[in-house]
Structure formats: C-alpha cells, structure tokens
Amino acid sequence: MRIDSLILRTAVRLVLPLTVLLAIYAALNGHNAPGGGFIAGLVTTVGLCTYRMAFGERAFHRLFPVHPRWLVVAGLGLTLVVAIIPLLAGEPLLRSASTVLRLGGQELHLVSATVFDLGVLVVVVGVAVGMITRLGEELGP
Amino acid sequence: MTTVLAICVTVMVTVSVYLMLSRELKSIAMGVFLLGHGANLAILAMSGSPVLPWGGLRQPPILGGEHLVDALPQALILTAIVINFAVMGFFLTLLIVTARKTGTLNVDELAGEEPPRSSPELASEPAPVAGLETRSVAD
Amino acid sequence: MAPADPSLVLAAVGAPVVAGLATLLIPRAQNLARVLLAACGPAASLLLLGVHLTRYGVAPNHAGTTSINWVPSLHLDLSFLVDGLGAFFALLVAGVGVLIVFYSRGYFGNDASSLARFFPALGFFTSSMLGVFLADHLLLTALFWELTSISSFFLIGWERDDETAVKRAMQAFFTTGFGGLALLGGVLLLGDTTGVWRWSDLVATASEIGSSGTVVAAFVLIFVGAASKSAQWPLHYWLPGAMLAPTPVSAFLHSATMVKAGVFLLGRLLPVFGLLTIWLPLVVAFGAVTMLLGAGLALRQHNLKLIFAYLTVSQLGLFVCMYGFGGVTDGHGGSAIDWDLSQIASHGLYKAPLFLIAGALAHRLGTRRLPELFGLWHRGVSGSRVLVVVLLAASYALAGGPGTVSFVAKELFLGAAHHAAASHPALLVVVAMAVLAAACNVAIVVRLVATVFGWRLGVRDDLPGRDVVHGKDRWGPVLWVPAAGLVLVQYIGGLLPPVWNSVFRRLEVNVNDEAFTDGLPWLWEPFLHPGAPLAMSLAAIGLGVVLGCSQRMRGDIVDVHDRIYPVTYRLILQYGHRAFHGIQTGHLRHYLVFVFTLLLLGISWAAWVDPAMLRLPDGVAPFESLTGLLLGAVVCAAAIALPLVTERVVRVLVLGASGFAVVGLYLLYQAIDLALTQLMFEIISVLLFLLVLRLLPRLDRRPLISPRPRLALAALVGITIGWMTLLAGHAADQRTNEAVTLGAFFEEHSLHGTEVTDGRGGEGRNIVNVILVDFRGFDTLGEITVLATAALGVWSMLPGRRRHRNDEGQPGTIAAEVER
C-alpha cells in the first residue's frame, strides 16, 4: 500500500526523526511524566507506517532491514533479563533498583524499570510493525 | 460523568453484541473491537467522576498534584488497549486465512464446513475373551 | 526404637526401574549382559530390603519410617512402612521379579529387540509394585497404584501391533484405572476427615476413627479400588482379558503381584476399618461370589492360560473373603484370620509355576489348548516330560493335596470360615461356596492329569493335535527351572514346616488361633486332630474327583461379564457423541447466545438476592460536564451508525470516529497516557482494518437474519452492563477520602516506600507507569508475551511472500482470487 505524494514524502522525511525522538523521550521519561514503553512503541510504529506508506516497501526495508521478529526476541529477552537479575541477588523477581547519576551538576535518576520499559517498547514495535508489514505484503505492491 | 459513561457503555455494548450476532465475520470483528472500547470505558467509570464536588477537575495521576485521579483503572485499561491491539491483529489475520481456505466469511456456512463426526476407530470395541482362542498366539 | 530411615527402602523401590532403564544402554547383541543387568534391579531390591530388615527388624504396623519431604502442602511425603505385610509382599515381588527376568530370556529367545523393550517396562512395573506395598503415605500409595496401572498397560499390550491385545490392555487399564480413581477419592476423603495421612498413624489411632458416614464412604471407595485391582466380581473380566500378554507378564502380574495389590490393600485396611459393621458383609459378599464364579468359569475353559486366569480370580475372591472374616466380632473379640500371608504366599508358589509352564508348553508345542495337549506324556516331544512333571507338581498344590503349603492354607481358610460361621450363621453359605470352589479346583486337576496322560476321561476334541516343536536353545532350561524352584518351596513348606515357620512367623501379624501360634503344623497333625476343616477338605476332594470324572461342565464357554466393558464403552461413546452434537452445534451465534444468556441469568440472580441493585442511586448528575456530554454523544452516535452503514470503508471510518471520541473521554478523565495510547492504537487499527478489508471478500447481500431478536438480546445485555457500570461508577463517586483503595496504595508508594513495602518505592512519579513496570511488572511481562504470541500467530498463519512465491508461483494471485 503506497500513497504517491510528494507532499507526504517531504512531510514524512521531516516528521519521522521527530517521532522517533518523541518516542525515546516518552520511553525514558515515562516513569515520571506521561509516557512509557507502550506509548513510545506505538508512536514509533505510527511513524514507521507513515514512512512505509510514503516511500513504499523497498525503501522501508532499507530503513528497517531486520525481520521484526528479532525485535520481539530482543525485547522479550531484555525484559526477562531485567526480571531475573534480582533473583540472582536473592531478591524477588522484577524487584527494581535505582541509582542517581550526577552529570555536570544535573541529577539523573536511573531506575532499572526504565530498562524494562525499553524492552516493552522494542516488543511493541516488533509486534505492531511485524503485523502491519506482513498484512501489507499480502496486498502486494 | 459516570452517567454519561454508563450511557456510552450501554450503547456500545448493545451495538457490539448486535454486530457479534450477525452472520458476517467482518461485522463480528468490528463488534469485538467495539466491545473492547466499551469494556475500557466501563473500567474507566470505576475511577469515579473526574469532576470535583466543588467544580473543577481532578489532576492526572502524576505525583505533585492535589486530588489525583485513581491510577489503577488507567493502568488496567492501558494493558487492555495493547492486548486489544494484539487480539485484533490476530483476528484480522484469521479472517484472511479463513476467507482463503473456505471462500466465505459467513459463519453459518462455516459451521457447515466440518461437522464433528464420530470416528469409526473409536466406535469399535474389543471382542470378547473368546477371541483369545481364535488368535494364533505368538508364544 | 527410633523410627527407621527411609533411604534404603527408597533405593529398594527405585532399583528395578533404574536397572530396567539402564539396560537400554547395553548394545543390542549383548543379551546376556542385558539379562544380568535387568535381574540386578529386583535382586538389589531384595538385598536392600534384607539390609533394612536386619537393621531395623520387621516394624509393627503402626511404626513407619521417618519421611523425606516431597510435597508437604499436599500431605505427600516419602515415607515407608516395612511391616510384616508390606515386607512380605515386597519380598515376594522382588523375588519373583528376579525369576521372571531369567524366564523371559528363555521365553523371548534370541529376540533382542523384544528383550530390549521388555526390561524397562518390567522394571517400571516392579518398582511401582514395590512402591504400593511399602508406601506409608496414603497419597503415595495412590500414586504408585496408578503407576502400576500405567506400567501394566505397557506389559499387557505388549503385542503392540495386535489390535486385540491393545484393546485388552486398554480394558485392563480403564478398569483398574477406574478403581484407582475410587481409591484416590477414598484416600482423600479419609485423610481430609481424619487429618491423618499415613497408614501407620491410622493404625495407631484406629479406635478414634469412628464410623461416621464419611468414614464409611471413604472405606467403600477404597474397597472399590482394591476390588477392581484384585479382579473381584463384577470387574473381574479384565484379568482373563489380560491373558493376551506374553507369559512372563501373565505369570508376574497375575500370580504374584498386580492382582495381589487389592488383597494387600485389604490387609492394610483391616486394622483400620475392621471394626466397621459394613466390613464383614461387604468384603465377604464380593469375595465369596468371586470365589465361586471364578472356579466355575475355570472349570469350563479349554485354554490353559484362561483356566489359570479364572482360577486366579477365584483365589483372589478367597483372599478377599479371608480378610472379610477379619471383621468377625464374636464374644471373645477374636478375629478369624490366621496366617494370611502364608496363604497368599502358597498361592503365588503354585500359580506362578502354572503360568510359567503354560507359557513353556506353548513355546515348545505351539498351543495352550487343553485338548491339543491330550496324551502329551506319551508323545515323546523332547523336553516336554520335564514340563509335565513340574506342571503336575504345581497342580497337586493347586488341588491342595497334603504335603504342600496350600493344603495347610486351605485348612486355615476353611477353619476361619467355620470359626466365623459359629458367630454369624449366615456365613455357612460362604462355607458351602468355599467347599464347592475347592471341589472345582480338584476337578480341574483331575482333568488336567487325565488329559496329559491321555486317559479316557481327559479333555479332547475332534481337532488333531499339533506338534510344533521349536528349536532348542541354550536357554531352554530357563523355561522350567524358575517354576520348579517355586514349586519346590511349596513342598518344602508343606513337608518341613519349621523351615517355613522360621521365615513367616516373623512376618505374620494375624495369628489368632492358639493351635497355630507356633507355626504351621506337620503334615500328619491335621489328621491326628480331625475337625470340621478336615472334613470339609475331604468333602471337597471327593466332590472334585467326581466332578472331574463326569462329562458335565466341560464346554468351552465365554463369560457373560466379558460384555460389561465393551457395552459400557459403546454406551459412553454413543451418549458422548449425542451430547457433543447437542452442545457443539458449530454455530458461533448459538455459543454467543448461550454465553450472554448465562451472563444475564447470573446478574438477574444477583439482583434477586440483593434488590438494592435495582434502585437508581442518589445524586446522579448527568450534566456535570458539557464536554463530557458532547463527547459521549459522539461516541454513541458513531456506535449507532456502525451497523447502519454498509459501505465498508465508511464503516471503518465510523469505527475510528468512535475510537477518537473515546480518546476525548480519556482526556477528560485526566488519563493522558491512555489518551496517547488509544490515539496511536486507533491510527494503527484503522490502517490495519483498511488493509485487511481489501483482502476480504465483499459483504454478501443475501437477506440478513431477522434483526429483532438480535436487537432485543443485544439491548438487554447492553442495558445490564451499562447499569452495572452506573452502579459501580456511582459507588466510586460516593467514596470518601478515608476509604482504603488500591489506587491510594499505589499513589502512596509510587515514589517512596513505607514499611509496608520494606521501604521500597517505585521511584517514579507517573503512577500509571509505575504500576505497569514495577508493582505489576509481572503482568506486563505476561502481556508482552501475549503480544509476541499473537505476532507469532500472524506470522505462522501468513508465512510470508518469499515462501508463497515458491509455493504458488505468483504472489499477487491470492488477493485477486479472494476479490473474485
């Protein structure tokens, strides 16, 4: 499915980086402000889908060369690792840890749950993009 | 607000059940989809009205404000939306595959596709012990 | 004395299965090593049990070993009870097990693949049997009980390519498995009622168990389990049916082990339930009927294995009856059981040889039918005379001739029956039945002897006898030596009682008659003190000889009870199919209507219980927020429009419109996360729907099903759900700030913890996100797994373009095809 429009292509070229930035911001900041892995994942997916619509399947494959299933595998693996690490320390599953990082006067509050959220993001992107591209491929070029 | 929500839920559930009882799998898919929205709104109603008794609205569930909205229904709904998404993708793929395999999306025709049948293998029974005699035993 | 350690017993129970599995590692050709290794299993059990018994002695039946924790929450631990009863049966199984291993080498000959397959199954079975006999925990007994059913299934269905054998194996499995379920139910009921989960403790507290209805129910259920395993009428049909198994299996299962499990269980139950008034009538009735029926059926069979099978059924009935007499309560409070273990042992010591010889004859001559054995002694088939000698020696014991243990055993049983009848005159019927059954045994032996020697009285028919002589092999003697050894023990016990007594006196618990306190008597003693038992024995022998010589009751008949299982099986399938077709119509609409009706009924029931649910709550304020009202109107309008429009793209857009209005409602509810997620979701889903609709066939325009009932049901469901939402939401509105809610907990602990959470908080300000990734992180983990699974489903149902191209040539054709 492709919409052949110069305006759309130009717009998408501008918007896609912004969407990705927004998603990363939402994922990292989700613990303290609206956002989080699910939202970030869906935002990324919408951005990628518009790109696919504007530029077609081939261009999309150049942008997104891996099969989405590897994203799902990676995301699930990441969340599982975060979930299991506390077990090794004798803590309950998924017990979160946090540290405060000082970077040039700025305090950065790092929570292990954020990593978990990143895993969620990756899974959501993998699943959503995977489903849409798969169904899109069925339609043919 | 609760009243408005309750009316919305009523309408959405009615329409979705109506759609789910139809013959077309496509309509049924839409019914299921709408039912998801309705259920989410019903859960949302459990957090109580966001309008405070003295007017004004409650604050979003982010620490720092006063009179925060109950966060738990929101967390549940967030989960539900994402699961809804997965179910929908699966359902739609199922529709495609069904249409390809059977050429129809009519549930009544699909019901006639493969009637459950008794297997002849199961219906047979062991012969009485006399069968022991007729059999040439290997030992 | 300190409680014994269970590890030796555990090792003894495990040894056969370990050895059996280890034989799989031996190369195919190494049959000798395979046999020796397989024999090591039960031999090790014997040795370990011997060590245990020398170290701790024979435990009294209320002193189990200490337990190894296994599943304490289920009252299931590994502890064992090595009392006389358990130890005797375990030694019997292990001892016969060793002999069977060697015998099977002779039986299967050089068939390496059969042997390789046989020993693991045999080891599995031996271990489960040992477990049943030694377990102290009620549930452990039930567990091993089921394992014996499973492992015997493998053995009975040995000829796996033979459909009949497999069906027989299933028949045995379902019948004993059904009993196993009853046993499990009874055991659970008993343990739950009494709070005691070990046999030893139950024996110790037997007087406190009482005779409430639950205890009686538990006993009856356990009895059903025991009766099914020990082939009591009317479930006895599985035992003759299981005769299709190879002879080593028949000999092992049906003479010494599996069928004795029920008898053993009755021995376990006697000290616990013996005082129940139901014990005597229930146990004796089933035992006596089985005893006579089995003997009568055995008399009218021509197949040696079936004869012995029905005789086993009869003998099992006798044992059950014997334990039933244990419930006799006369004026002296004495029980009517004497030397029960010796009686059971004597049966194993002639029945196993009989089976073994039947198998050996079949191996040598290719037949097990009695008429075809006519005149075998004079035929001079090589190696058959020694078989006949052992067969006759064992048959003599079967008839209960003087000089064997079974003579004394029969005396003991008749004496017990006589003793019991003294206080319960109704039991005289059982005495008469016992004499008749014994006469049948004698008659069978008379016919057997006459047939083998080719006398006129023998059984023969018009079919010519066959002489199919198998080639001799090195292992030939293995076919009869184990049998001869067992028979020899039978005669040693009968002729030299002190030898027997020195072993069994230590194991026997039930010694009540003063005459037997020192042991079994010498051969001549019963004749010096003639009494009722001797008279009954002589009557049985006389009657038996007459019956054996007569031409009556010679037919080769089929037991009517063989129909029970097939008929039950067919009825279950028939009604199962009927019920299935009644419930599973295959129409989605029927299922939905069913589900929604149940939902409505459930809620109506709740409203009937609490009529306050039907009242409109106070303070309903529909006009609080004008924005909310408008958004609600959009949602409703879009929803109502959905079924009315028919153009599919418009429908999707309408669906999307209703979703976007929901986004607005979320915003009004201050749910920013939700609104964002829903927005993205809505975009993606509209996209997906549009994509998919192009792939699907168009809506067909045939007349719709009448919309009115649909609408009625839908409206009912909708109004009910909406009403519930109103009630619940309103209750939330009325909540005061003091109310303890889960939401408040999350709000409090979102950033910093309190002592409730061990000082740990979520370290985040966005409560929704903290709930998702911290408090309920495990749910989220599950949720993304669901996502991944759904994606996997999509990918596997639509396996991708590249593969399509290979399969079907052109990628685009499918869509085109569907469009058509």
Side-chain angles (χ1 to χ4, degrees), chain C residues 626-698:
Chain C
L626 202 59
T627 334
L629 209 56
L630 278 174
L631 284 169
V634 175
V635 168
C636 293
I640 292 171
L642 193 57
L644 299 179
V645 291
T646 47
E647 187 49 47
R648 53 190 191 173
V649 177
V650 182
R651 282 188 113 180
V652 172
L653 293 180
V654 168
L655 194 62
S658 115
F660 287 119
V662 169
V663 172
L665 277 177
Y666 286 154
L667 275 178
L668 194 65
Y669 263 80
Q670 304 293 346
I672 306 162
D673 291 295
L674 286 191
L676 269 173
T677 316
Q678 175 81 13
L679 189 67
M680 298 300 143
F681 168 68
E682 217 46 58
I683 294 171
I684 296 176
S685 58
V686 167
L687 212 73
L688 264 181
F689 254 103
L690 285 175
L691 268 177
V692 168
L693 282 184
R694 288 183 58 183
L695 285 168
L696 293 177
R698 289 179 185 282

Side-chain angles (χ1 to χ4, degrees), chain C residues 43 109 134 178 188 195 201 319 337 341 355 374 403 503 536 553 560 578 587-588 684 730 733 779 799:
Chain C
L134 293 171
F178 155 75
L188 289 176
D201 296 342
F319 292 141
I337 286 194
L341 300 184
F355 274 116
F374 190 79
V503 178
M536 287 189 277
M553 300 183 73
V560 285
R578 207 171 286 175
H587 284 267
L588 184 61
I684 296 176
H730 199 71
D733 283 347
D779 287 356

